Amino acid sequence: MPATFTLAWSPDHLRAIAKIEAAVLHGELFAFAMPRGSGKTSLVEAAAVWSLLFGHRDFVVVVGADEGHARRMLDSCWLEFETNDLLLEDFPEVCHPIRSLERITQRARGQMHAGQPTRLTKAAGEIVLPTVAGSVASGAVVRAVGITGGIRGLASKRADGTRFRPSLVLIDDPQSDEVSGSPKQVADRLAVMNGAVLGLAGPGKTIAGLATVTVIRPGDLADQLLDRAAHPSWQGERSRLVYEWPTADNLWEQYAEMRRDGQRSGAGVAAATEFYAAHRDEMDAGSRVAWPERHNPDELSALQHAWNLRIDRGESAFAAEYQNQPLAPTLVAPVIDRAALRAREIKLDRGMMPSGHSTLTVGIDVQDKLLFWLVASWGSGFGGHVVAYGAYPEQGTSMFTAASARRTLRQAHPGTGFEAALLAGLTGLVDDLLGRDWLREDGTRQRIDAAAVDANWGKSTQVIREFTRRHRLASTLHPAHGRGIGAATQPLNDGKKRAGERIGPGWRLGTIGGQRGLLFDANFWKSFLASRLATAVGDHGALTFHRGQHEMLVEHLAAEQPVTVTAKGRTVDEWKCAPGADNHWLDCLVMAAVAASVAGIAAPGAEATQRRRRKVEIPTGPGNRRVIQVRPFVR
């Protein structure tokens, strides 16, 4: 395959090829990780072609992360049979019948050899090589499947009626970035590889297996499969782009800055290359690269190529994709600092939104004696602003606790029990907050777009569910259930999406306990808000407060701090509340942020979803029509 493998083999390639041959010829398993761009997939395709043409294996299964990936590999094998002149010379009994089709696969149905049909097949997901007397590849099969597809029970039938099962499985990059971050999906795919895949040969038989993988993060599918202590049968092996980095760190730092300056200014990277050429001996000293021939035409060496990838892609991506040594996850949830919170006030009066904000939400935290609430506005980059907050009933003092509330729900609604007092309090508070116009500093008036009401407390859950379902603004109200998804817990969005359910970053909106509800990952959203509270006021994505005295709000927001926990291959910031501290406005802010995400504000770090208003004419009487503007619902 000279058109595919155009460069000289590296020592790592030769070791991998030797392992491939051992797997195919002796029925062994082999998993290997090579740097991105090293030809892993091409090696898998070559292994399939080689094992079939020489008759080493008569039924090969190609497995990809999904069926589309596997079929693309199958098509690449067919292309070799169809166009590779060297293969035609050595294996005319396979390649000549395929070329004779002249790319019209339907002709295979009538193709004959020595008076017998060749039974050549090129269909979706399968190639059956021509049946030709004397050919060791006669009737051999190669089939493509996705790792989560129908793998069990694969079999084929020869012209004489005998059935045969797969004897070689070739697995190429069985995980995606998304899968690598989900312990459940990693465990599921690992179980498929060690169960269904290795059982393809049938009872009492072993199958040869080859898996090419890319390590994306510690503990992912590839990382586990390559661990010889955990999975010795796979004989895992890793290779890197660079085995030893040069010692002249200062020169390479100058080179990196020159490269970035050239890219920023539009002058290009020629000056950086000239710098490397002038200092090459010193800059190469102490280095050892895996593949000296691997570099682009405008680069002088494989080491320069590796440094360029490291500079352009970033340390994290380079470590994972090119070194197969992903960096340990760095958690970004900062500790919430009281002094820093006090400096987040901007010159906007209570109740007013900043002019750049488009979405208004409220979170309501339910307690035994009173309700805490917080209204926040949101703009691009998920920047936020605390518009107003308080408690119902009002306490008439700037500092109080939930336990020491002077005026309670029952006192505000005499003669009621807990449920009736809660219902009356919710009705009054929600009607007030959602029924009023909120003013933006540019003069625009706006109503609240979405509200999340805490439905976690057992005594109040059913009351809140019924209240949000029956309220006249039910489409705006969401009974909210926060869950502290820890490191040892299955990630919130690992489960399958149910009919009618909406899923967003750290939340699911659907049915909970038989009724509509909003489920969210409290740890995820507290970490997210902590980063917004640590962003400097004036920077994109910062979270600010209205003008006023916020000492009690500061205490609530700083009541919890993150603790880094690692379990079952996951590392998570788990938020813990200080003993005896009130965190109710923190919970309100979290619910308001989740409600903003549900309402259409883009995921963390992204721009807000643009919801364009459209004009609609509605009839207002005989012969009369009125034009109004409607903002469409955003999924």
Side-chain angles (χ1 to χ4, degrees):
M1 296 170 63
T4 300
F5 303 109
T6 58
L7 299 178
W9 297 114
S10 71
D12 288 340
H13 284 115
L14 295 177
R15 280 195 298 273
I17 291 169
K19 291 279 191 176
I20 291 169
E21 291 179 352
V24 172
L25 296 176
H26 306 301
E28 297 178 7
L29 301 177
F30 174 45
F32 69 102
M34 298 183 76
R36 190 172 297 282
S38 294
K40 297 190 305 295
T41 300
S42 296
L43 284 173
V44 170
E45 294 166 359
V49 171
W50 173 73
S51 60
L52 290 166
L53 291 179
F54 278 93
H56 298 313
R57 299 287 161 172
D58 58 0
F59 193 160
V60 176
V61 178
V62 177
V63 180
D66 54 54
E67 190 171 350
H69 175 194
R71 288 191 180 186
R72 288 189 291 273
M73 295 172 64
L74 196 70
D75 290 341
S76 182
C77 292
W78 178 266
L79 192 64
E80 291 295 333
F81 295 139
E82 188 178 43
T83 64
N84 190 321
D85 291 336
L86 293 174
L87 290 185
L88 176 64
E89 288 183 25
D90 289 342
F91 305 96
E93 67 278 12
V94 173
C95 298
H96 179 69
I98 291 174
R99 288 201 177 195
S100 297
L101 300 179
E102 297 179 330
R103 304 194 67 194
I104 304 174
T105 55
Q106 292 87 342
R107 290 178 176 176
R109 295 179 181 179
Q111 191 178 74
M112 307 287 286
H113 175 260
Q116 298 295 321
T118 63
R119 303 185 186 278
L120 174 61
T121 302
K122 170 66 165 68
E126 184 179 68
I127 295 172
V128 180
L129 297 185
T131 299
V132 175
S135 169
V136 294
S138 181
V141 175
V142 55
R143 190 171 295 174
V145 296
I147 194 167
T148 58
I151 291 180
R152 296 182 185 274
L154 295 181
S156 191
K157 186 179 287 187
R158 295 186 176 91
D160 61 6
T162 58
R163 291 175 61 84
F164 62 114
R165 299 189 64 169
S167 55
L168 173 65
V169 59
L170 302 173
I171 306 168
D172 184 59
D173 266 344
Q175 70 175 356
S176 62
D177 286 357
E178 178 185 356
V179 169
S180 72
S182 167
K184 180 180 184 301
Q185 293 188 64
V186 165
D188 288 346
R189 295 191 179 208
L190 202 56
V192 169
M193 291 181 65
N194 287 326
V197 169
L198 297 188
L200 282 172
K205 296 183 179 180
T206 59
I207 193 167
L210 174 69
T212 62
V213 295
T214 299
V215 182
I216 299 174
R217 64 190 73 200
D220 67 8
L221 187 153
D223 199 31
Q224 293 188 50
L225 199 67
L226 294 167
D227 184 347
R228 291 197 177 193
H231 299 278
S233 61
W234 279 100
Q235 304 178 69
E237 188 165 315
R238 306 172 193 242
S239 62
R240 310 178 203 168
L241 200 60
V242 179
Y243 285 101
E244 300 288 344
W245 288 102
T247 55
D249 291 340
N250 58 330
L251 292 177
W252 281 107
E253 289 174 4
Q254 293 180 54
Y255 172 88
E257 194 56 40
M258 291 178 70
R259 182 176 176 84
R260 294 189 188 103
D261 285 344
Q263 291 169 331
R264 282 192 289 262
S265 67
V269 297
T273 299
E274 291 173 5
F275 177 83
Y276 172 57
H279 302 85
R280 181 170 176 178
D281 289 343
E282 190 177 354
M283 293 175 74
D284 286 355
S287 66
R288 181 167 67 92
V289 296
W291 193 6
E293 290 79 12
R294 178 175 174 167
H295 59 85
N296 296 329
D298 61 341
E299 295 167 331
L300 303 180
S301 71
L303 181 62
Q304 184 191 12
H305 176 68
W307 265 104
N308 289 345
L309 290 171
R310 185 176 175 180
I311 294 164
D312 296 345
R313 304 292 177 87
E315 291 288 345
S316 179
F318 182 83
E321 297 181 8
Y322 297 96
Q323 295 293 90
N324 284 301
Q325 293 180 317
L327 302 177
T330 301
L331 298 174
V332 296
V335 171
I336 297 179
D337 178 68
R338 287 174 171 79
L341 289 178
R342 295 184 183 100
R344 305 201 70 78
E345 176 186 328
I346 62 173
K347 294 180 179 180
L348 268 184
D349 290 337
R350 184 178 188 272
M352 185 170 289
M353 300 168 57
S355 59
H357 286 193
S358 60
T359 299
L360 194 63
T361 61
V362 60
I364 300 174
D365 187 54
V366 177
Q367 296 298 307
D368 186 28
K369 294 182 178 181
L370 70 168
L371 307 173
F372 288 86
W373 60 270
L374 184 147
V375 175
S377 63
W378 310 91
S380 65
F382 227 116
H385 177 71
V386 175
V387 175
Y389 59 94
Y392 180 93
E394 293 184 5
Q395 297 300 300
T397 179
S398 60
M399 293 294 291
F400 60 91
T401 67
S404 65
R406 296 180 179 178
R407 192 161 181 248
T408 67
L409 285 167
R410 294 187 195 182
Q411 290 171 340
H413 303 282
T416 61
F418 169 75
E419 289 83 2
L422 174 59
L423 182 59
L426 282 171
T427 301
L429 178 61
V430 169
D431 285 352
D432 175 36
L433 296 178
L434 273 65
R436 74 169 79 165
D437 288 332
W438 298 81
L439 190 64
R440 199 161 61 184
E441 62 177 325
D442 60 5
T444 303
R445 295 182 180 276
Q446 183 167 335
R447 296 287 179 100
I448 286 175
D449 294 280
V453 184
D454 172 28
N456 259 359
W457 195 27
K459 289 176 63 177
S460 63
T461 297
Q462 196 55 39
V463 175
I464 292 166
R465 286 180 175 178
E466 284 299 308
F467 168 75
T468 55
R469 184 174 68 86
R470 296 179 183 277
H471 196 274
R472 61 186 177 83
L473 298 174
S475 62
T476 304
L477 293 169
H478 303 296
H481 299 262
R483 298 284 187 270
I485 307 296
T489 310
Q490 175 179 319
L492 183 66
N493 287 342
D494 265 7
K496 291 184 178 179
K497 183 179 179 180
R498 300 176 184 143
E501 187 176 40
R502 290 177 59 203
I503 295 178
W507 59 264
R508 302 175 76 102
L509 180 61
T511 301
I512 303 173
Q515 293 182 283
R516 183 178 65 88
L518 173 62
L519 181 65
F520 65 91
D521 181 348
N523 283 327
F524 171 87
W525 280 98
K526 286 172 185 175
S527 294
F528 170 67
L529 285 173
S531 69
R532 292 301 184 256
L533 289 168
T535 302
V537 174
D539 282 349
H540 195 59
L543 201 158
T544 56
F545 305 154
H546 67 75
R547 183 161 30 202
Q549 175 56 251
H550 299 298
E551 195 58 34
M552 186 172 165
L553 175 66
V554 166
E555 290 302 314
H556 279 232
L557 295 183
E560 294 193 29
Q561 299 295 347
V563 176
T564 302
V565 178
T566 299
K568 296 183 178 180
R570 295 181 69 224
T571 302
V572 171
D573 279 329
E574 297 182 5
W575 287 78
K576 308 294 182 182
C577 188
D582 275 4
N583 63 347
H584 309 304
W585 279 322
L586 172 62
D587 288 341
C588 289
L589 182 58
V590 168
M591 286 187 283
V594 176
S597 181
V598 173
I601 290 292
E607 292 297 316
T609 301
Q610 183 67 29
R611 294 179 290 172
R612 295 180 180 176
R613 296 178 181 269
R614 58 188 178 89
K615 292 182 178 180
V616 176
E617 290 187 351
I618 60 172
T620 57
N624 296 323
R625 304 181 73 82
R626 182 163 63 93
V627 176
I628 63 171
Q629 288 190 327
V630 178
R631 182 171 59 195
F633 178 74
V634 177
R635 288 194 177 276

